[in-house]
């Protein structure tokens, strides 16, 4: 049982990362809610509004891994600090944006700042907290901060949009960023050797192109075969008959080229030998599935409550809050238990709770009462919280040596990719539900012909599809959660020998 207490340095570093994590999550969620207000104020089209959100996510997701490796080479504190400064400047600029192009560019800059912070945050924690001490508890607190950031961001943004201006939502993070900058200088950092400070530019460019292209491709999946041949903008490309087949081939070619480049690089961005580490790879896969499941719930619950049950949006919010609240509370509990026991059963238990929650959702689907959805949502949220912090700890523990930034970057990249894939999978699953219901109606002479509002049975069919996919993915995640942490130590000791 661990009876350690945090040192003053550990407390300062942990508080810095917690506030930084809280800030970026606080700033991320409200943007979707403010888009209608922004569109009216700046006269944006629907497509332009979508790109205000998309450019941030592309900048963030594409640079997470790169920022982590730059942190390994130049120092994670320096990169984290640089990211905070960029985020602060971009947030101020977003509040003053007077046109679509200005807001587009400032949001891209904000995404870059967030990537530099997020890609190095867990690396800082790993170096402050030795393995086997209070590390899991520290990760639990950081994870809770992220969940609370999303939760509080939703509440405060609603008030600001109702009574003030969308611009103030960007500016409310200014004091947070200033405080982070004040705290970050209290963190002591080991000096990075000059010989290691070389950036693999070719690898960085290829990784960015591969990740951004993958995000773009996955986001376009719901449009395959359903958009108009006369569509304009980006849909003019995604509607092409060969697009679904050409892009995967393009991505495979780029990936093979990346492997070749990284094998030749002196300081590669992608540490290829670490992908032989089964625990590292399996935990990243489980992390991807965890965050995919989170977004699946977020996607179908509003449709289910509002269109399926015919209730007001506030009730959908109550269900989502039940998920987020438990997801914010339980990371600290899971981390504390893991620190005290070191039990390898905690991750399977967490993923098992998520799996059982989706199975229960399948059986309660169709209930006209909101209570079952709130209770099951809270149950799933608890499982997510338990699994999230401990799995983060396992990922960071599985990598030894000066590769903590790489581990942190991969962790955050799989997290964001899970969000992206979930949006596409949920949209396709819901669309298939709509199509099957419409076909059934047409057979009986009541086809909608593609118009009108969706009825309750259609929403339930789409929700069942999403839940079924979530059950299958959670089963895979449950299996991945059984890889034991001790395997990583052996593999990590062998890695340096493999490099020589």
């Amino acid at each position: 049982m661990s009876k350690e207490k945090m040192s003053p340095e550990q407390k300062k570093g942990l508080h810095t990362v917690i506030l930084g994590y809280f800030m970026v999550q606080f700033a991320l969620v409200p943007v979707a809610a403010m888009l209608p207000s922004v569109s009216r104020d700046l006269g944006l089209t629907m497509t332009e509004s979508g790109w205000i959100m998309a450019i941030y996510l592309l900048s963030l997701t594409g640079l997470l891994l790169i920022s982590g490796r730059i942190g390994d080479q130049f120092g994670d504190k320096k990169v984290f600090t640089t990211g905070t400064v960029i985020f602060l400047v971009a947030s101020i600029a977003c509040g003053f944006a007077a046109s679509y192009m200005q807001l587009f560019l400032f949001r891209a800059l904000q995404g870059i700042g967030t990537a530099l912070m997020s890609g190095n945050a867990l690396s800082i924690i790993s170096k402050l907290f030795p393995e086997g001490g209070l590390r899991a508890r520290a990760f639990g607190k950081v994870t809770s901060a992220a969940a609370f950031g999303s939760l509080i961001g939703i509440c405060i943004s609603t008030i600001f949009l109702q009574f003030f201006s969308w611009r103030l939502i960007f500016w409310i993070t200014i004091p947070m960023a200033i405080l982070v900058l004040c705290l970050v200088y209290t963190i002591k950092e080991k000096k990075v050797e000059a010989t290691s400070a070389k950036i693999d530019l070719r690898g960085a460019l290829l990784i960015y192109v591969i990740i951004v292209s993958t995000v773009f491709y996955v986001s376009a999946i719901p449009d395959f075969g359903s958009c108009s041949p006369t569509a304009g903008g980006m849909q003019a490309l995604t509607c092409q008959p060969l697009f679904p087949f050409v892009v995967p081939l393009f991505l495979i070619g780029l990936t093979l080229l990346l492997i070749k480049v990284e094998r030749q690089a002196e300081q590669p961005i992608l540490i290829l030998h670490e992908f032989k580490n089964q625990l590292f790879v399996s935990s990243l896969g489980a992390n991807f599935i965890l965050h995919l499941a989170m977004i699946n719930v977020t996607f179908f619950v509003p449709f289910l409550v509002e269109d399926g049950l015919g209730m007001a949006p506030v009730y959908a919010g109550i269900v989502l809050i039940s998920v987020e609240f438990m997801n914010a509370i339980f990371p600290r509990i899971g981390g504390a238990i893991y620190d005290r026991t070191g039990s390898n059963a905690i991750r399977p238990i967490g993923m098992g709770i998520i799996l059982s929650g989706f199975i229960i959702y399948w059986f309660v689907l169709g209930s006209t009462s909101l209570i079952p959805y709130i209770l099951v949502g809270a149950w799933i949220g608890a499982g997510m919280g338990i699994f999230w912090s401990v799995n983060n700890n396992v990922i960071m523990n599985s990598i030894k040596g000066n590769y903590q930034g790489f581990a942190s970057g991969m962790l955050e990249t799989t997290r964001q990719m899970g969000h992206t894939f979930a949006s596409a999978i949920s949209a396709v699953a819901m669309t298939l539900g709509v199509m099957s219901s419409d076909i059934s109606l047409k057979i009986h002479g009541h086809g909608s012909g593609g118009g009108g509002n969706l009825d309750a049975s259609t929403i339930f069919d789409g929700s069942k599809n999403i839940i079924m996919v979530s059950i299958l993915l959670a089963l895979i995640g449950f299996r991945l959660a059984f890889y034991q942490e001790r395997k990583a130590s052996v593999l990590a000791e062998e890695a340096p020998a493999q490099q020589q």
Side-chain angles (χ1 to χ4, degrees), residues 21 26 44 62 70 155 158 308 319 374 391 418 428:
Y21 241 62
F26 179 93
L44 308 184
I70 293 175
C155 298
T158 302
V319 178
I374 294 174
N391 193 62
V428 171

Side-chain angles (χ1 to χ4, degrees), residues 154 293-321 323-324 361 365 370 373 426 430 454-456 459-460 462-463 466-467:
I154 293 172
M294 284 185 184
I295 300 303
N296 278 355
V297 173
T298 304
F299 187 95
F300 82 82
V301 163
F303 285 103
L304 179 64
V305 175
E306 295 177 38
D307 295 329
L309 302 180
M311 296 184 179
V314 66
Y315 293 103
I318 291 173
V319 178
L320 293 178
I321 287 174
V323 179
E324 284 295 330
Y361 252 143
L365 198 65
L370 195 67
Y373 302 108
S426 296
M430 187 64 77
L454 302 179
D455 59 24
I459 294 300
F460 288 135
S463 297
I466 295 175
I467 293 171

Side-chain angles (χ1 to χ4, degrees), residues 240-263:
Q240 297 302 316
L242 294 179
F243 180 84
F245 310 102
V246 171
V247 174
L249 294 176
F250 172 73
L251 291 172
I252 292 172
L254 284 182
T255 301
L256 294 175
L257 178 60
L258 173 64
I259 293 172
K260 180 179 179 181
V261 167
E262 295 303 88
R263 283 177 174 170

Side-chain angles (χ1 to χ4, degrees), residues 319-334:
V319 178
L320 293 178
I321 287 174
S322 72
V323 179
E324 284 295 330
F325 182 76
M326 300 298 278
N327 189 27
I329 293 294
F330 274 86
R332 299 183 66 169
I333 298 174

